[in-house]
Amino acid sequence: MRNKTGIVHSIYQLAQIEQQNLNHHLKQLGLNPDQARVLDYVQAHPGTNQRAVATHLGRQAASTSNLLTGLSQRGWLKRQPVKENAREKALFLTVEGAKIAAQIAQTFNKLNTLFEQGLTAKQLDDLVALLTQLTQYLETAGD
């Protein structure tokens, strides 16, 4: 049986629900999605730099700098000069930043659990396998 609305529409609807849930939880932490993505990225890549964060976010350097400055001012991110290049700064989470990053991870875990609760274990395994297959295909298929 074919989905009458199409797979793109169904994925879009799920993404909208996910985004609304995520934004609601992040707002409770005092974060917007980009701030959360930065903290998550720096936690996974301690010592990274502004250029890598900008690439990860798909943002320009200037707007990334403002974002990092805001996180630093809140005491969640610290910038340390790199020995080889004093102009470049390595980025690290502070203790408070690591606590916020852990809360972000909890938010994603809760959201994942919410999505999983609507499916049986077999359905979940099948869905993940199909979505992985589709993602791999689309990554190689191009435009």
Side-chain angles (χ1 to χ4, degrees), residues 19-30:
Q19 197 66 47
Q20 288 171 354
N21 262 293
L22 183 60
N23 287 344
H24 172 75
H25 289 4
L26 291 177
K27 188 176 182 180
Q28 291 176 335
L29 295 175

Side-chain angles (χ1 to χ4, degrees), residues 9 12 14 18 21 36-37 42 44 51 73 76 78 91 93 98 117-118 122 138-139:
H9 181 73
Y12 177 77
L14 280 173
E18 181 266 346
N21 262 293
R37 289 179 66 203
V42 173
R51 184 174 39 257
Q73 289 172 345
W76 296 340
K78 60 184 171 185
L91 304 172
L93 295 183
Q117 287 174 343
K122 170 135 177 43
L138 292 173
E139 287 175 343

Side-chain angles (χ1 to χ4, degrees), residues 94-137:
T94 63
V95 171
E96 285 303 312
K99 289 178 186 176
I100 295 295
Q103 289 178 311
I104 294 166
Q106 274 185 318
T107 296
F108 277 100
N109 288 338
K110 286 178 187 176
L111 191 56
N112 198 50
T113 299
L114 175 65
F115 273 61
E116 289 177 351
Q117 287 174 343
L119 301 171
T120 66
K122 170 135 177 43
Q123 289 171 326
L124 184 59
D125 289 343
D126 291 346
L127 178 61
V128 170
L130 289 169
L131 290 173
T132 301
Q133 180 182 347
L134 181 59
T135 299
Q136 291 170 347
Y137 167 75

Side-chain angles (χ1 to χ4, degrees), residues 42 45-50 53 68 77-79 89-92:
V42 173
H45 303 91
T48 191
N49 60 31
Q50 179 177 322
V53 171
L68 296 175
L77 189 70
K78 60 184 171 185
R79 298 172 173 172
K89 305 290 188 258
L91 304 172
F92 299 92

